[in-house]
Amino acid sequence: MSQASIPTALWAVAIAVGALAIPAQAQTVKVGLAMDLSGPFAVGGAEAKAGFAVAMKQLGGKLGGVPVEYVEADTAGNPETARQTVDRMLLRDKIDLFTGPVGSSVALAVGPPLFAAKVPYLSSNTGPSDYSGARCNPYFFGASYPNDAYHEAAGKFASDKAFKKVALIAPSYPGGKDAITGFKRTYKGAVGDELYTKLGQLDYSAELAQIRASKPDALYFFLPGAMGVSFIKQFVGAGLSKDVALISTAFSADEDMIPAVGEPMLGLFNTAHWSFDLDNPANKRFVAAFREQNNGRNPSFYAGQAYDVLMAMDAAVRDVGGKVADRPALLKAIKAANYKSVRGDFRYGANNFPIQNYYLRVIGKDANGRIANKVIGTVLQNYQDTSAAMCAMKS
């Protein structure tokens, strides 16, 4: 080889080495779907699965133009089961993205192994205050909401409504404690009884007796799924609704729960970051498709969030050209949120949680006589959760 040809040869080697360093487009994108299809969060888990199904059908078996494999599992709302499930997804299935759990305790359990493996976790429901604050992580995206903000909105509504004394009830687990903390942060009146129940509890006779004795103006309850169904029926059945106003959030008052409770739901105020009646093109498209796939019924926020998460993943995979192994680029693409959300305009704050509106809804009857929610106002506009100040991430 001549001296003149040496630089050419070295350049060729450099190009080859550089090419090896560039992540190739994935042949298949693997997404872990660890859903709560049994256990205390089964109602929300079933709704999330229905929302995922709408997105899957619209995306035609791909994400960002790349074939997708969904690795599905039921965590039963159990942190230990969920941790084992995620370990299998990471070691055996080599997932690229993750979503699914409904409960905060499950999210807190599966976060560490996902973060260590550098697998982005887009939460389709829970947003523990730990992850929105001091334990924020670049690999966790609270694509739905931060726990506290929902309840901060409810607390503000209770103050605006001038309720002088409000009793509080929630299950004793991280999500329940976030609920009480968030409500108290913005409610300016007197807090009456502060009751914590067992997770999954269905008999509330003792709690209702205590509430009756304390005579609050209103009761704020965070009891998702079957817990909420049982509580509302027992509350109204005990005659408490005549003197005590009920305030809740979409967790206990959404379209998935209304059919199970019926008339006792009428007049219940609740806060939500999304509703099936929001007027934007993406939401109308989703709601129409959901109704078509689910016998005409309205979707709950669990379904709307799940749909949104897969659309967010689709946009991110598309924007990195299918090169999901390039984690910095993938994180940047997820954070950009370059898709049409069912909530309308969507953007993340520095802590990877949305800056978004929280609405006030009331349950009534629509023009067809069906019991449903209706948005009647905006409680918090373009709201950033208070925990964000404790997050060290700056962008």
Side-chain angles (χ1 to χ4, degrees):
M1 181 180 295
S2 68
Q3 287 184 331
S5 64
I6 290 176
T8 302
L10 291 175
W11 180 244
V13 171
I15 291 174
V17 171
L20 291 174
I22 299 173
Q25 176 175 311
Q27 293 183 333
T28 301
V29 177
K30 292 188 176 182
V31 177
L33 290 181
M35 295 175 285
D36 300 331
L37 300 178
S38 58
F41 305 110
V43 174
E47 279 291 293
K49 186 172 183 178
F52 286 135
V54 175
M56 290 173 183
K57 183 176 180 180
Q58 290 184 0
L59 294 171
K62 295 184 178 181
L63 283 179
V66 180
V68 60
E69 176 185 343
Y70 294 104
V71 182
E72 299 185 25
D74 177 15
T75 71
N78 183 291
E80 182 58 33
T81 300
R83 178 67 180 254
Q84 294 171 4
T85 297
V86 167
D87 285 343
R88 285 196 302 272
M89 288 180 173
L90 292 171
L91 296 173
R92 182 189 67 191
D93 302 301
K94 310 294 183 185
I95 59 172
D96 302 297
L97 294 158
F98 177 83
T99 191
V102 172
S104 298
S105 53
V106 173
L108 292 169
V110 302
L114 289 163
F115 306 156
K118 297 184 177 180
V119 171
Y121 175 179
L122 282 75
S123 179
S124 59
N125 182 57
T126 184
S129 59
D130 281 13
Y131 286 165
S132 63
R135 291 174 59 191
C136 62
N137 190 286
Y139 285 89
F140 185 85
F141 292 84
S144 49
Y145 55 84
N147 282 1
D148 290 12
Y150 245 94
H151 313 291
E152 288 165 356
K156 184 177 185 301
F157 163 69
S159 286
D160 293 346
K161 196 72 172 176
F163 290 119
K164 294 181 180 180
K165 181 182 177 183
V166 177
L168 313 174
I169 185 169
S172 183
Y173 83 112
K177 293 174 183 178
D178 284 348
I180 298 297
T181 299
F183 184 90
K184 287 162 58 177
R185 187 176 289 133
T186 54
Y187 174 59
K188 305 305 181 184
V191 173
D193 292 318
E194 189 172 321
L195 307 175
Y196 287 97
T197 71
K198 292 181 180 179
L199 186 63
Q201 181 173 321
L202 298 178
D203 180 5
Y204 298 96
S205 54
E207 289 82 4
L208 291 174
Q210 188 170 341
I211 292 165
R212 185 190 300 277
S214 66
K215 298 181 179 180
D217 299 310
L219 172 70
Y220 178 66
F221 70 102
F222 169 72
L223 294 164
M227 294 179 284
V229 170
S230 295
F231 180 80
I232 296 168
K233 287 181 176 179
Q234 292 169 42
F235 180 90
V236 174
L240 285 168
S241 59
K242 298 175 184 177
D243 303 308
V244 182
L246 272 184
I247 308 169
S248 191
T249 59
F251 304 111
S252 303
D254 212 1
E255 310 312 307
D256 55 327
M257 293 182 60
I258 289 173
V261 180
E263 296 278 338
M265 296 288 273
L266 291 172
L268 195 156
F269 291 105
N270 64 98
T271 53
H273 71 302
W274 174 85
S275 190
F276 75 91
D277 58 340
L278 289 183
D279 187 9
N280 67 71
N283 197 44
K284 289 181 176 180
R285 181 185 182 219
F286 161 66
V287 171
F290 185 93
R291 286 171 174 163
E292 184 178 345
Q293 290 179 220
N294 293 276
N295 298 316
R297 68 182 180 88
N298 291 325
S300 72
F301 80 103
Y302 290 111
Q305 293 171 159
Y307 174 87
D308 240 14
V309 160
L310 288 195
M311 291 303 178
M313 289 183 178
D314 175 65
V317 174
R318 178 199 66 216
D319 289 352
V320 297
K323 297 174 182 177
V324 292
D326 186 346
R327 293 300 201 243
L330 183 59
L331 292 179
K332 184 177 180 181
I334 295 171
K335 186 72 174 268
N338 189 19
Y339 72 104
K340 299 296 184 182
S341 170
V342 295
R343 283 164 272 188
D345 293 337
F346 183 95
R347 64 188 175 102
Y348 285 110
N351 63 346
N352 286 357
F353 277 77
I355 296 174
Q356 60 189 353
N357 292 347
Y358 291 85
Y359 303 97
L360 177 65
R361 308 187 303 178
V362 67
I363 297 176
K365 291 186 178 181
D366 63 18
N368 298 315
R370 178 164 55 179
I371 301 174
N373 272 292
K374 180 178 177 60
V375 172
I376 58 174
T378 302
V379 183
L380 299 171
Q381 191 165 16
N382 294 324
Y383 189 66
Q384 171 76 76
D385 58 290
T386 54
S387 297
M390 295 178 283
C391 174
M393 294 191 298
K394 300 302 180 185
S395 62

